C-alpha cells in the first residue's frame, strides 16, 4: 500500500496534478504514526534548540483554534514591524507562563510542556503572546485590564480547543 501511494504521488507530481511535499517520511504514511512536526514559524525562536520540537508541536496544535491563529498572525505582523523574533524559553518556573516586559521573552513552565499534551499548553503560550501584543499599545503591564484581556483570549482558546459543553 505504501509503495502504491508513493507511486501515485510521484506520477501525479510529474503530471503537474499534485505537488508532493519536498520530504515525506515513512512514519507519516504509516497508519497510527504521529504526524511530523512542522518547523517553528520564523517569528518565533526557542531559547534552547532542544525544545524546538515541543514548542513546534504546541504551535501546530494552536492551528485548531481560530482565536489562537488570529493571535499568532498578529504576533507575526508585530515581529515583522520590530524586526526581531519573539524568544520563547521553556523554563523551570512556578507560574504556567510569563512574559517579561524587560527582556521580551515568553517563558513556559517546563513540566507542563513535558507532561501535558501540546494542545493543553496552547492557551498558556497564546495568553503570554497576548501580553506581548499589548506592548504595542503602550498598555501598562500591571494594569488589571491587561490581565483580563489576556484571560479572555485564553478562555476563548480553551473553549475552541476543548469541548467544555460536555460534563466530565
Amino acid at each position: 500500500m505504501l509503495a502504491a501511494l508513493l507511486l501515485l504521488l510521484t506520477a501525479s507530481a510529474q503530471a503537474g496534478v499534485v505537488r508532493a511535499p519536498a520530504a515525506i517520511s515513512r512514519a507519516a504514511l504509516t497508519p497510527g504514526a504521529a504526524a511530523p512536526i512542522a518547523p517553528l514559524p520564523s517569528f518565533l525562536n526557542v531559547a534552547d534548540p532542544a525544545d524546538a520540537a515541543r514548542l513546534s508541536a504546541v504551535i501546530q496544535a494552536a492551528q485548531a483554534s481560530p482565536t489562537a491563529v488570529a493571535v499568532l498572525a498578529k504576533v507575526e505582523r508585530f515581529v515583522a514591524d520590530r524586526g526581531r523574533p519573539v524568544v520563547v524559553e521553556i523554563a523551570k518556573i512556578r507560574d504556567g507562563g510569563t512574559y517579561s516586559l524587560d527582556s521580551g521573552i515568553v517563558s513556559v513552565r517546563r513540566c507542563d510542556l513535558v507532561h501535558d499534551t501540546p494542545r493543553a499548553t496552547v492557551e498558556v503560550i497564546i495568553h503570554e503572546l497576548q501580553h506581548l501584543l499589548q506592548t504595542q499599545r503602550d498598555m501598562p503591564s500591571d494594569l488589571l485590564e491587561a490581565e483580563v484581556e489576556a484571560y479572555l483570549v485564553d478562555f476563548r482558546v480553551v473553549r475552541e480547543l476543548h469541548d467544555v459543553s460536555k460534563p466530565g
Side-chain angles (χ1 to χ4, degrees):
M1 170 126 174
L2 178 62
L5 182 57
L6 288 173
L7 183 60
L8 177 63
L9 281 173
T10 304
S12 297
Q14 288 172 348
V17 177
V18 174
R19 292 204 123 164
I24 190 162
S25 69
R26 183 176 288 274
L29 297 174
T30 304
I37 301 299
L40 278 175
S42 61
F43 59 90
L44 294 177
N45 277 352
V46 65
D48 181 353
D51 294 322
R54 282 193 175 106
L55 180 58
S56 185
V58 172
I59 299 304
Q60 196 168 345
Q63 303 308 305
S65 162
T67 302
V69 169
V71 169
L72 290 170
K74 290 176 187 174
V75 170
E76 184 174 23
R77 287 190 298 275
F78 176 75
V79 164
D81 290 344
R82 79 175 188 172
R84 61 182 163 75
V86 176
V87 175
V88 179
E89 73 170 348
I90 312 306
K92 291 182 179 179
I93 56 175
R94 192 178 60 155
D95 296 325
T98 62
Y99 171 70
S100 170
L101 192 59
D102 295 330
S103 67
I105 294 176
V106 170
S107 300
V108 177
R109 187 170 42 204
R110 177 170 295 285
C111 66
D112 292 344
L113 205 55
V114 170
H115 299 297
D116 286 342
T117 64
R119 185 172 268 212
T121 309
V122 169
E123 57 260 24
V124 173
I125 294 223
I126 297 302
H127 177 103
E128 299 310 331
L129 289 173
Q130 186 64 33
H131 286 312
L132 166 80
L133 293 172
Q134 291 167 346
T135 64
Q136 69 187 343
R137 295 182 304 194
D138 295 324
M139 183 180 273
S141 62
D142 60 348
L143 194 63
L144 176 62
E145 286 86 347
E147 202 58 44
V148 169
E149 179 185 70
Y151 272 113
L152 288 173
V153 170
D154 183 345
F155 294 151
R156 267 185 259 143
V157 170
V158 169
R159 189 176 54 232
E160 292 166 355
L161 292 179
H162 312 286
D163 187 358
V164 294
S165 63
K166 293 180 181 177

